[in-house]
Amino acid sequence: MKTDVLIIGGGPAGLNAAIETASRGIKTIIIEESYALGGQLKQQTQFFNNLPKQFDRQRGIHLMRTLIDRLSPLPITCLLKHKMIGVYKDGRIGIANDTETFPIDAKKVIVTTGAAEETDLFPGWTLPGVMTVGAAQILINRERVLPGKNALIVGLNSFSAEVAKQLKACGINILGVMDKTVSVNDKKLVEGLEDKKIRVMVNTVIERATGAGEVKKVTINNDGKKEDLDIDLICIGKGLAPILEPLEILDCEFGFQAKLGGLVPKYYSTLGTSNPSVYVAGNAAGITCLGGILLTAEIAALNALKALGVLNDNEVKVRSSFLWDELRSMESEESIETFIARVAHIKEFHEECELPLPASFHAILEGC
Amino acid sequence: MDKSTIVCRCEEINVDEIEGAIRLGASTFDDIKRLTRCGMGPCQSKICMNLVRELIATNLGVSISEIPPPRMRMPLKITRLGILAGKTSSSNVVSVFDEASLEAGERQND
């Protein structure tokens, strides 16, 4: 199989990048390992207020429909239940499905593999009934199954708080949302939970979770005070880390940026990596909000189109600087630290390669 | 931390075994993997990767940013052997294994 652009991962970033390339008449293939496009949007029923201008504020599942509707009239090949398993010696990408392995010869690859949830280590974390907040959300919104009756949420952030509210709305008794930090900077987050009568516990860690065959009890240490809780569900919300396997196999270099989720591929202001035919976008390029996921995908797709000679320099320059500006405002609204870390990450790589940052980028830096 | 707490759930490797490997000189995920089978189960270290890196960092008193991730190898996802080697059109993938052994040999010669 031959294509101009190969997109690895059919989540929000992959879909938005595909819309950009395919609407220019560029041959595009998306490979997606699950049974349907949409990625994590498939179970995200929460409202997203902060989205790029071209999208209305809407729920995750509706945004998924919007993206798929925009994509469907375009000439694009979607390979569902296909996964990238490696790279051939000549640079072609090795793809496998349930019946065969075959190569795809792509001029440009955009990696939009997203992120994986992090877990937490405590005695008993491997018992059935302990899962990530994302897993609990899949169970209630996609599979329509109640994961438990009495739940404890470990880790306080906007995603875990959102899932705590959704679980509560499903009739699950939430015994508390706990975090090991001493205080929570985000007052709005705490107030939002307290409004729903959900207890917030800071400076709290799990000593152990116990139960025969499944989790039944948990001992927590709240500021030195031990407390036993009867529970049958622990949801871990410790944040996300980018999925990097395809990038490593594609010979991309990595750097460390704690605020972007730890190890992140190095990339230029074009979202191009150290491998000249590989671009990265979405959560794989550093953990961000949904707006950031969509915008980085657009920037990566534009620059891939420029490299393919489809768009001219000037057009890309104008649109990129507009998109970078929008990305800054979108990421600052969630957490300015994400954008600052992203800019530092890009600057570092440009300096390492002795490649000057584009002039339009300097204006963005001054705005920080 | 309870020493019997499982870290790698696929291979059932606990904190004690990992700290034992660190005492023997392990300083990367791959060292731990070679000594204990940690990360060699069906999930291929997708769940325990950062837990183990954190344990190494804490035990050696360094930042997690200094602990490299495990070397990722092909095939990246669970794949049936028959699918890897079955059809003529896919037989090229055998080179996946050739490349792997070649690389290992090169590194040994370094």
Side-chain angles (χ1 to χ4, degrees):
Chain A
M1 229 182 250
K2 268 193 162 168
T3 184
D4 292 313
V5 175
L6 173 65
I7 294 172
I8 298 165
L15 294 176
N16 211 25
I19 292 169
E20 192 64 42
T21 59
S23 62
R24 301 278 174 166
I26 290 299
K27 195 162 185 241
T28 307
I29 296 179
I30 297 184
I31 56 160
E32 164 57 47
E33 65 175 335
S34 100
Y35 60 91
L37 295 173
Q40 298 308 310
L41 290 178
K42 284 201 279 281
Q43 65 276 350
Q44 296 191 338
T45 53
Q46 63 264 42
F47 233 98
F48 290 99
N49 288 314
N50 191 19
L51 291 178
K53 285 190 189 75
Q54 51 156 315
F55 300 98
D56 299 326
R57 51 187 291 271
Q58 54 189 325
R59 293 182 190 278
I61 40 170
H62 296 152
L63 176 68
M64 173 181 99
R65 280 270 44 109
T66 309
L67 289 168
I68 293 173
D69 287 348
R70 283 187 193 179
L71 195 70
S72 47
L74 301 172
I76 187 164
T77 312
C78 291
L79 302 175
L80 300 175
K81 291 198 206 161
H82 282 67
K83 50 205 173 180
M84 169 181 169
I85 58 161
V87 178
Y88 289 80
K89 229 170 189 172
D90 57 9
R92 291 178 302 169
I93 313 286
I95 307 289
N97 60 9
D98 287 341
T99 52
E100 58 173 340
T101 310
F102 59 91
I104 293 184
D105 190 354
K107 288 184 189 144
K108 298 287 168 200
V109 180
I110 304 178
V111 180
T112 53
T113 41
E117 284 186 284
E118 296 267 36
T119 185
D120 192 18
L121 206 58
F122 54 81
W125 76 281
T126 49
L127 283 168
V130 183
M131 62 185 76
T132 59
V133 280
Q137 198 190 29
I138 289 174
L139 284 174
I140 53 171
N141 291 345
R142 219 164 86 194
E143 311 299 330
R144 311 277 167 174
V145 169
L146 273 190
K149 291 195 178 78
N150 296 297
L152 181 68
I153 318 279
V154 186
L156 178 55
N157 48 57
S158 55
F159 183 51
S160 70
E162 174 61 41
V163 175
K165 287 182 216 164
Q166 290 187 5
L167 290 169
K168 177 141 184 144
C170 290
I172 294 172
N173 176 26
I174 308 288
L175 292 159
V177 179
M178 51 172 276
D179 204 288
K180 67 171 180 216
T181 53
V182 182
S183 67
V184 179
N185 295 325
D186 197 341
K187 286 243 157 49
K188 244 164 101 188
L189 209 62
V190 177
E191 280 164 15
L193 285 167
E194 283 167 350
D195 277 352
K196 302 273 184 214
K197 309 254 180 304
I198 295 172
R199 179 182 169 200
V200 176
M201 297 175 274
V202 290
N203 201 10
T204 306
V205 291
I206 291 189
E207 296 246 309
R208 62 176 57 247
T210 49
E214 59 185 305
V215 62
K216 283 265 169 33
K217 247 190 181 42
V218 63
T219 309
I220 59 170
N221 185 331
N222 183 347
D223 225 347
K225 210 171 74 235
K226 285 190 190 174
E227 195 178 334
D228 279 338
L229 299 171
D230 286 322
I231 44 125
D232 56 358
L233 175 63
I234 297 178
C235 299
I236 301 173
K238 295 287 261 194
L240 302 164
I243 293 173
L244 306 169
E245 284 94 337
L247 291 155
E248 183 174 331
I249 291 294
L250 284 162
D251 275 336
C252 298
E253 290 170 29
F254 295 104
F256 188 88
Q257 281 293 340
K259 288 280 177 251
L260 294 178
L263 277 176
V264 188
K266 293 181 179 173
Y267 51 84
Y268 306 105
S269 61
T270 58
L271 274 302
T273 65
S274 58
N275 178 337
S277 62
V278 178
Y279 293 78
V280 63
N283 270 341
I287 306 306
T288 178
C289 52
L290 188 50
I293 290 173
L294 295 166
L295 288 167
T296 49
E298 235 173 296
I299 296 170
L302 273 181
N303 284 291
L305 287 172
K306 184 176 120 182
L308 287 169
V310 181
L311 295 176
N312 67 43
D313 272 14
N314 207 32
E315 195 178 353
V316 173
K317 212 183 277 173
V318 172
R319 271 197 67 200
S320 302
S321 78
F322 173 77
L323 288 168
W324 272 105
D325 223 32
E326 207 178 3
L327 183 61
R328 182 188 57 197
S329 75
M330 212 128 283
E331 287 189 335
S332 336
E333 207 158 306
E334 304 279 329
S335 142
I336 182 76
E337 287 165 333
T338 309
F339 190 74
I340 291 171
R342 190 187 295 286
V343 168
H345 191 63
I346 289 171
K347 224 172 137 188
E348 220 167 84
F349 192 40
H350 272 267
E351 274 162 18
E352 195 185 309
C353 305
E354 291 178 7
L355 199 80
L357 278 164
S360 57
F361 208 78
H362 284 291
I364 295 159
L365 289 179
E366 278 156 27
C368 279
Chain B
M1 174 67 66
D2 190 326
K3 298 286 182 213
S4 65
T5 305
I6 301 279
V7 181
C8 164
R9 52 197 300 167
C10 302
E11 292 290 332
E12 296 193 345
I13 307 297
N14 64 27
V15 172
D16 194 37
E17 285 166 281
I18 288 170
E19 288 183 343
I22 296 170
R23 275 196 299 277
L24 286 173
S27 61
T28 64
F29 189 104
D30 284 332
D31 295 341
I32 307 259
K33 184 172 175 176
R34 288 186 189 102
L35 288 165
T36 66
R37 284 195 62 82
C38 176
M40 289 174 83
C43 95
Q44 287 289 295
S45 77
K46 284 180 178 62
I47 295 172
C48 65
M49 174 171 104
N50 287 335
L51 297 177
V52 173
R53 287 175 65 220
E54 249 165 59
L55 275 176
I56 301 172
T58 319
N59 274 272
L60 298 181
V62 296
S63 152
I64 187 166
S65 61
E66 288 172 45
I67 313 294
R71 172 121 172 91
M72 293 157 196
R73 291 176 199 282
M74 296 185 259
L76 294 177
K77 297 268 176 176
I78 288 185
T79 314
R80 288 177 196 280
L81 266 178
I83 292 163
L84 264 183
K87 287 178 89 178
T88 4
S89 66
S90 58
S91 63
N92 270 340
V93 178
V94 174
S95 69
V96 164
F97 300 119
D98 290 342
E99 279 170 42
S101 53
L102 197 72
E103 263 186 44
E106 277 167 4
R107 216 168 309 121
Q108 265 171 18
N109 293 337
D110 275 349

